[in-house]
Amino acid sequence: PSLDAVLAWAREAGERDVEAEALLLAARTELEAGGRHTRERLEACLEAAGPHKRSLQARALLVLGRVALSEGGVEEAGTHLDLGLALAGEVEEEPLVQDCLLALGETALASGDPEGAASRFEACRQSALGAVDRERLAAALCGLGESALAGAGIGPPRPFFEEADSLAAALGNGLLRRRAARGLARAGADS
């Protein structure tokens, strides 16, 4: 069945959890396709999830924060992401905590706060090290390198990007490798 059919059934049957999950999936799909209704679906997801579904709410807030950031709403993004981080921490869902920290780091960079960004990326790095999550670790390292390039007093950016590139290569993650390569190029140009 199509996503719209699942949504219609869930609404008719009063299955709020299924409705919320379907709305989140629809919002993510629309976001990837550049859709116009992403915000509305995410807000509906939050409403449908209700207070008993903290993990689902945190995931919706993460995506809503990313949408706001992509639209230039740095303050709004921070608000959604801070709330998403708090909820993710409550349910002890470490990958979600890490994703919120990464997005908050990106938000801090976008707002011109490299020290705040470095703090968020370092928190994600520590969490990813503990969880042995090499993909999020590589993303946090790229963020730390970008923070260093932006002026955070955390040392030179090159070692962060080199370690991120090594991890991304081992994972076969081309997207993270390109991000690390761009960082290395910028770090070389700034030397």
Side-chain angles (χ1 to χ4, degrees):
S2 74
L3 205 46
D4 288 330
V6 170
L7 274 169
W9 171 84
R11 286 181 178 138
E12 188 174 304
E15 293 286 339
R16 301 289 284 174
D17 293 345
V18 173
E19 178 186 359
E21 288 283 355
L23 285 163
L24 181 58
L25 179 59
R28 284 184 169 161
T29 303
E30 285 179 1
L31 182 60
E32 290 172 9
R36 298 184 317 244
H37 303 293
T38 304
R39 263 184 192 279
E40 293 85 5
R41 288 197 192 256
L42 288 167
E43 288 163 359
C45 172
L46 286 170
E47 185 179 314
H52 64 288
K53 286 296 208 175
R54 296 283 195 216
S55 176
L56 182 58
Q57 287 178 322
R59 287 184 287 147
L61 286 162
L62 171 63
V63 178
L64 194 54
R66 286 182 172 157
V67 168
L69 185 59
S70 74
E71 294 172 348
V74 175
E75 189 174 318
E76 179 188 357
T79 300
H80 293 309
L81 294 168
D82 280 333
L83 184 53
L85 176 62
L87 291 173
E90 281 180 24
V91 296
E92 298 178 359
E93 197 169 321
E94 206 57 32
L96 185 55
V97 167
Q98 294 164 6
D99 288 342
C100 288
L101 287 167
L102 289 169
L104 280 163
E106 293 165 11
T107 302
L109 278 177
S111 71
D113 179 12
E115 296 293 339
S119 172
R120 298 298 185 151
F121 289 131
E122 182 58 30
C124 180
R125 175 185 178 184
Q126 293 305 315
S127 175
L129 280 168
V132 193
D133 188 330
R134 297 184 310 160
E135 190 166 335
R136 287 181 177 90
L137 176 58
L141 288 163
C142 282
L144 285 164
E146 291 159 359
S147 299
L149 282 171
I154 57 173
R158 183 171 275 297
F160 295 116
F161 290 122
E162 288 172 344
E163 188 177 350
D165 184 54
S166 176
L167 282 168
L171 292 167
N173 187 318
L175 190 62
L176 279 171
R177 287 211 71 195
R178 285 188 295 278
R179 184 175 173 190
R182 282 191 307 272
L184 284 166
R186 285 185 55 213
D190 290 348
S191 302

